[in-house]
Amino acid sequence: MIFNVDKETLPRDELAALQLTRLKNQCERVYANVPFYRKAFDDMGIKPGIVNSLEDLPRLPFTEKQDLRNGYPYKMFAVPIDTIVRLHASSGTTGKSTVVGYTKRDLDNWAELMARSLSAAGLSSSDFIHNAYGYGLFTGGLGVHYGAERLGATVIPISGGGSKRQAELLRDFGATGMTCTPSYALYLYEVAYDMGIDIRELPLRVGVFGAEPWTEEMRAEIERKLGITALNIYGLSEIMGPGVAQECAESKCGMHIFEDHFLPEIIDPVTGASLPPGAVGELVITTLTKEAIPLIRYRTRDLCSLDLTPCVCGRTHARITRILGRSDDMLIIRGVNVFPQQIEAILVEMEGISPHYEIEVKREGTLDALEIMVEFSEAMFQSDEIRHIQKREKSLQKSIKDYLGVTAKVRLVEPQSLKRFEGKASRVRDLRKKE
Ligand code: DLL
């Protein structure tokens, strides 16, 4: 179901006209109200008035995460602080945390975009949504919560953690929809399974998963184990939170980015040059309606491509492909560029292997060494002999060498022996960084 037919199926020329009006307005606002932007425009010798068409976008300055950090906590706000009704913040695992604020209208738009997202995933007012994204400063919990309410669904604000209770309530309350990170969905499956609850037999039918990278192979695994349709949702706190882009149940192929609110571009992460649809590069987003923190050409660091081909669902908004990684997550191993998701895709394809893994990179002498630990599936572990284990390790090593061109040491470890995550998974340890 399309939640906002008028906006989500707007003919592309009308969409472009709306985007241009909103872009001009945003440029005027940031120039007048945010010293950072006034300086950035002045330094480039431009005024907001240079924007006469969407093609002028590349003439505007970029905004980086570091700019938000420099403005900590409120310097990037474009409205008086007393019009802010909510704050969220990123966890700050990669540096000082960034604080984002919302006006009443921002929250209203966010709820609508999250309602659009849940609706695109096939959920409606008659669904019960088990929302296991963390509530708090993280945008996942409250973002989904108000969207589910806007949709008219029944939201179960379970938040993250307490997995046994989650499994029980998933069964008792009869949730039909579930929202959490994809890695947590698999973890919850294991917890439930150990308690004698088979999620496949519950009424649960749709999962809306995001906040971390995942693969098509992982989707297949989740769908098989939980007996549901698993769909991808994208967002980031700097831009809004969840609900920036959402995969539709009809195509299950790329996430519609809500273009009446966000203007996407793909750029070469090294040169900053614009790239055409279909080319993989860094996603850059300009907010078109944000009041509290409007951002011009925000560099997300997320790598994907833009798909402008018409979608079977009838939405006219462009799709972004699955996020292939973050430009700052890329591992360079003996000169070869490797993304953790590429390794995951190879692991998950092999039978008898679970999608729980850890990647460690260290320096041995002067060379980089890559080690991958991955869990056996329960069934395989019980039946396999040592020599079979070694054979599998060798075969994985060969696939990694063949597909990615890097040599890795693969170690198969016992089921349930690697760390599990209730929020975003963190599977890479790059020990070289400490040197
Ligand atoms: O993770 C917002 C969110 C909550 C999205 C719930 C989806 C669901 P941040 O904590 O600011 O916000 O992290 C944003 O997470 O730049 C991506 O690198 C990554 N990310 C988010 N969604 C996806 C996804 C939330 N579907 C950062 N696939 C982003 C891959 C994702 N990566």
Side-chain angles (χ1 to χ4, degrees), residues 133 138-140 209-214 232-238 241-242 255 300 302 323 326 424:
Y133 284 119
F138 175 56
T139 52
F209 304 122
E212 66 184 11
W214 53 312
N232 202 355
I233 182 166
Y234 172 80
L236 61 168
S237 37
E238 296 90 322
M255 299 172 273
T300 65
D302 293 319
I323 305 295
R326 288 179 57 80
K424 292 174 192 258

Side-chain angles (χ1 to χ4, degrees), residues 65 89-91 98 110 114 133 138-141 144 180-182 208-214 231-245 255 298 300-303 321-326 328-329 341 424:
K65 192 170 180 95
S90 72
S91 57
T98 45
W110 189 9
M114 256 321 302
Y133 284 119
F138 175 56
T139 52
V144 169
C180 60
T181 56
V208 180
F209 304 122
E212 66 184 11
W214 53 312
L231 295 164
N232 202 355
I233 182 166
Y234 172 80
L236 61 168
S237 37
E238 296 90 322
I239 294 297
M240 184 179 77
V244 171
M255 299 172 273
Y298 182 70
T300 65
R301 302 281 164 195
D302 293 319
L303 299 169
T321 57
R322 196 175 272 289
I323 305 295
L324 303 168
R326 288 179 57 80
D328 39 14
D329 272 357
Q341 288 72 45
K424 292 174 192 258

Side-chain angles (χ1 to χ4, degrees), residues 193-194 352 376-386 388-389 413-416:
Y193 191 83
D194 287 346
F376 253 60
S377 69
E378 199 72 55
M380 221 28 101
F381 192 70
Q382 278 157 12
S383 68
D384 259 32
E385 296 167 26
I386 284 290
H388 286 144
I389 295 178
V413 298
E414 281 184 38
Q416 317 271 352

